[in-house]
């Protein structure tokens, strides 16, 4: 009997620690749950890496224009909803008009940029704004539902944009 005890001891010393049997305190379902969690975590990291890898670097001018447009539209909509006089709302909306024209002319149909979520959301906001004024008239105050929807699109666009570039005091 002593020789078999020595043999067991000898075998245990020869087997690396990571090859030893799993302690009985672990249940098969615990191990399966742990493995499935690892697979899910690995899958998410692979998806995140693919998303980061496929993300297009947006031109700086587009990002600046998008942020300026979002700010101008948000400011004019907030002012309109607040009940400010019409002339004040129109004065605040003037920069937004120019930015909308610039956005549509330069970026709306650009192949790479038009697929970006920020561009889609800005287009949806501008489209909804245009449909509202086309249906109700230019002097109509914006209702709460329309303003909330447009502001929601602008918020989603802002979330999907990269960090705002610093504005330089130099024109070059």
């Amino acid at each position: 009997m002593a020789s078999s005890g020595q043999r067991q001891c000898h075998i245990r010393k020869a087997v690396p620690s990571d090859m030893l049997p799993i302690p009985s305190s672990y249940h098969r379902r615990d191990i399966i749950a742990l493995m499935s969690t690892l697979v899910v975590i690995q899958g998410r990291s692979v998806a995140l890496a693919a998303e980061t890898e496929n993300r297009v670097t947006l031109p700086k001018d587009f990002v600046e224009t998008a942020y300026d447009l979002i700010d101008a539209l948000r400011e004019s909509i907030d002012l309109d909803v607040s009940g400010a006089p019409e002339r004040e709302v129109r004065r605040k909306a003037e920069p937004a008009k120019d930015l909308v024209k610039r956005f549509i002319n330069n970026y709306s149909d650009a192949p790479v940029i038009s697929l970006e979520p920020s561009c889609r959301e800005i287009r949806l906001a501008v489209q909804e704004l245009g449909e509202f004024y086309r249906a109700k008239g230019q002097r109509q105050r914006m209702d709460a539902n329309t303003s909330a929807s447009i502001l929601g699109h602008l918020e989603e666009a802002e979330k999907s944009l990269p960090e705002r570039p610093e504005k330089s005091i130099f024109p070059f």
Side-chain angles (χ1 to χ4, degrees):
M1 264 327 224
S3 66
S4 72
Q6 285 177 336
R7 203 179 286 152
Q8 273 186 339
C9 188
H10 178 67
I11 290 174
R12 282 198 168 183
K13 289 180 182 176
V15 176
S17 62
D18 60 343
M19 300 282 292
L20 290 175
I22 298 172
S24 61
S25 64
Y26 292 114
H27 295 293
R28 184 175 178 187
R29 67 176 169 256
D30 295 334
I31 294 170
I32 291 172
L34 178 64
M35 294 303 289
S36 61
T37 303
L38 291 173
V39 168
V40 168
I41 290 171
Q42 183 181 8
R44 285 184 183 163
S45 65
V46 167
L48 181 62
E51 182 180 318
T52 305
E53 211 173 272
N54 292 336
R55 187 154 179 108
V56 175
T57 303
L58 297 172
K60 184 179 177 184
D61 188 47
F62 167 77
V63 175
E64 288 175 357
T65 302
Y67 273 115
D68 291 344
L69 178 58
I70 289 168
D71 291 343
L73 285 174
R74 189 178 286 147
E75 188 175 347
S76 65
I77 290 171
D78 288 342
L79 194 62
D80 187 23
V81 172
S82 74
E86 184 181 347
R87 64 180 152 67
E88 190 177 337
V89 173
R90 288 182 178 271
R91 189 171 42 87
K92 285 286 187 182
E94 195 60 40
K97 279 196 243 178
D98 296 335
L99 288 166
V100 166
K101 288 177 188 175
R102 186 155 116 214
F103 179 83
I104 289 172
N105 290 336
N106 295 344
Y107 306 113
S108 187
D109 293 329
V112 174
I113 296 172
S114 65
L115 299 175
E116 285 295 309
S118 56
C119 186
R120 277 192 314 245
E121 291 295 331
I122 291 172
R123 260 197 323 242
L124 288 171
V126 169
Q127 182 180 4
E128 192 169 340
L129 187 65
E131 288 171 359
F132 173 81
Y133 285 122
R134 200 172 11 260
K136 308 274 181 166
Q138 291 182 359
R139 295 183 178 256
Q140 180 67 34
R141 290 271 182 199
M142 191 172 297
D143 60 86
N145 290 339
T146 304
S147 66
S149 177
I150 293 170
L151 291 173
H153 287 301
L154 295 175
E155 186 177 327
E156 288 300 314
E158 192 171 37
K159 284 181 187 176
S160 63
L161 284 169
E163 194 171 310
R164 182 177 276 210
E166 291 183 28
K167 291 207 176 205
S168 174
I169 58 172
F170 302 109
F172 46 88

